[in-house]
Structures are given as C-alpha cells and as structure tokens.
Amino acid sequence: MIKLITASERHEANVGDWLSSYYLFSFADYYDPSNIQFGPLRVFNDDRMQGKSELPSHPHAEMEVLTVMLEGELTHKDSLGNEKKLGAGHVQRMSSGTGLTHSEANEGDQPAHFYQLWFLPNKKGIAPSYEQLKVDFQDKKDQLIPLATGQKVLEDVVFMNSNSTVYYGHVGQGNDIEFKTYKIRKTLIYVTEGSILVNNVELDRHDQIRLEELEAVAVHGTSEASFILIDVPALEVNY
C-alpha cells in the first residue's frame, strides 16, 4: 500500500508568533482518528522557533522523543540535570520512561528549524535518559545517513528504545537510492527540500508518503532533494 499526503494536507498549528509548526499526525489541537500513528511513530512535527523564545518546562513519560536539528540553535534543559546546546546537524534523544521534564529555548536572533518525532517505546518503566550526537548529516550526498535507531545493527547513531530507524537522505537530480525493507515493516518519507519520485509517485517539498507491505523503496531525484526516511515495524512488540 502506498499513500501520498501533500504538503497542503499537513495540519498547520495555531501556536503563536513564537512557533510555526506543522503536524503530520494528531497532536495538541489537531485530532484525526484515522491519523494517530504509523507503527510506533506517534508524532512528527515540523517546527520553526523564532529567536528569543522558549518552550517552557513540561513533562513527558513513556515516550522516545527525538529532535533533528536543521537550522539555528536550541538550548536544552531537563530534570536530569542536562543543559546542552543543539545546533544544525545535531540529533537529540530523550527517553522519558518513568518521567522527566524539559524546556527548549532559542536564545539567538535567528529562527531554529527542527523536526520532533515521538516513538512509543518497546519497553515500559525504564529510567529516563538523554543522548545527543553531532552527525553533520546535511553534508552527505546521494546516500541515506542513519540518525537514530533501536535495531542495534548501526554504530555512531543515537540509540532509542524502538525497533525503528530514522535516516536523513540526499539524492542528486537524476540519481537513485534504493532502500531494502520487508513486508512486515513500514516506511515514511517526508521531503525537506526538492522533489523526488518514490516508487514512481511524485513528491514535492513537504509532501510525505507512507508505504506498507513492500520489499523495496526506490527514490529517484527529479531535482536535488533532501528528505527524512523512517523505517518502523508494522507492530511494535513488548510495549
């Protein structure tokens, strides 16, 4: 099964002047019972936080929270005692487990652009933990770069408690990338910039495609393009 969702079908959140946000799944003021999650992927928000603004401290529990930084800088603080700077090319993971609180602030003048993804964990009741890694994924060309995984087969990536993997992809105009998958897994692709064909379906900037019960995902660059590819199990186990 292949489902195309265009950029105009994303939910534009009414948060305020300090934050521009588009929701790919039901979140906050947006609820669609047919669009709750994709495997264990529960949230995918495309966020831009304006300079001199802050998301105040708030709680999480039993969720793997992943932030992928594209532009600008954020200052992270949490109840575990972490105070960290996140810049473009950083990947952050919070395993909220039995509970933590955190805040994110843009202390600079320029907007910060980032993706936030939430995954249902494959195990409840774990101690909360934090990890961040500078991957510099935006410098890579014509390949898929793993950013975070729970599959324990990849090195130098952020670990999360979900049998899922998040990749950053780049493909040049006229070039191809093939992603091997399985019928028991699902794939979501969200276009950051440019345009691509995915299994002969055309996607433009901010379009997404959800694919199920396939054995291969073929990406062709109709222009130079970057995208996020998320590989998830059709059904997360042990949750």
Side-chain angles (χ1 to χ4, degrees):
M1 185 181 77
I2 298 177
K3 181 179 182 180
L4 172 67
I5 301 173
T6 64
S8 63
E9 295 177 86
R10 300 176 302 167
H11 177 79
E12 183 175 5
N14 182 18
V15 180
D17 294 340
W18 66 280
L19 180 67
S20 168
S21 190
Y22 290 90
Y23 303 156
L24 276 60
F25 296 93
S26 293
F27 186 80
D29 65 330
Y30 164 55
Y31 177 70
D32 178 351
S34 68
N35 189 30
I36 300 295
Q37 65 192 81
F38 189 70
L41 177 61
R42 176 60 188 84
V43 170
F44 189 143
N45 295 346
D46 186 344
D47 293 332
R48 284 178 172 83
M49 184 186 293
Q50 298 304 310
K52 308 300 183 184
S53 61
E54 181 179 10
L55 179 63
S57 185
H58 57 283
H60 291 284
E62 303 300 354
M63 196 70 67
E64 299 293 296
V65 181
L66 190 72
T67 300
V68 178
M69 289 294 300
L70 301 173
E71 298 176 88
E73 186 176 84
L74 293 177
T75 299
H76 166 90
K77 297 179 182 179
D78 63 41
S79 56
L80 300 178
N82 295 301
E83 184 170 343
K84 304 286 187 179
K85 296 287 188 181
L86 296 168
H90 274 101
V91 180
Q92 175 204 73
R93 184 266 304 156
M94 289 183 292
S95 295
S96 58
T98 54
L100 59 74
T101 60
H102 78 104
S103 65
E104 310 292 335
N106 182 355
E107 299 174 334
D109 296 322
Q110 300 303 313
H113 183 200
F114 54 97
Y115 296 149
Q116 188 166 104
L117 299 87
W118 297 9
F119 293 83
L120 297 170
N122 54 22
K123 183 183 292 186
K124 280 187 173 182
I126 64 171
S129 63
Y130 178 92
E131 182 183 7
Q132 74 178 60
L133 185 68
K134 196 168 194 299
V135 183
D136 288 329
F137 51 87
Q138 292 162 307
D139 296 333
K140 312 300 183 182
K141 304 296 183 183
D142 288 310
Q143 56 186 303
L144 291 173
I145 306 300
L147 305 180
T149 189
Q151 297 179 275
K152 298 183 180 180
V153 295
L154 301 170
E155 297 180 353
D156 300 322
V157 298
V158 167
F159 176 79
M160 61 179 176
N161 295 292
S162 172
N163 185 25
S164 307
T165 302
V166 178
Y167 299 86
Y168 172 88
H170 174 277
V171 63
Q173 184 173 8
N175 294 343
D176 297 283
I177 292 175
E178 184 171 285
F179 177 72
K180 296 290 187 182
T181 184
Y182 301 92
K183 291 185 177 181
I184 59 172
R185 298 189 69 82
K186 303 181 179 185
T187 307
L188 183 148
I189 292 176
Y190 180 68
V191 180
T192 301
E193 296 289 346
S195 58
I196 56 179
L197 288 176
V198 177
N199 289 33
N200 294 316
V201 178
E202 185 173 356
L203 282 78
D204 293 317
R205 183 172 181 257
H206 296 157
D207 290 348
Q208 61 177 291
I209 193 166
R210 304 179 188 183
L211 307 104
E212 301 182 45
E213 299 180 347
L214 299 177
E215 294 181 345
V217 176
V219 179
H220 174 78
T222 53
S223 72
E224 183 174 1
S226 57
F227 56 93
I228 294 291
L229 185 151
I230 305 171
D231 168 48
V232 298
L235 179 66
E236 184 69 287
V237 296
N238 298 326
Y239 178 72

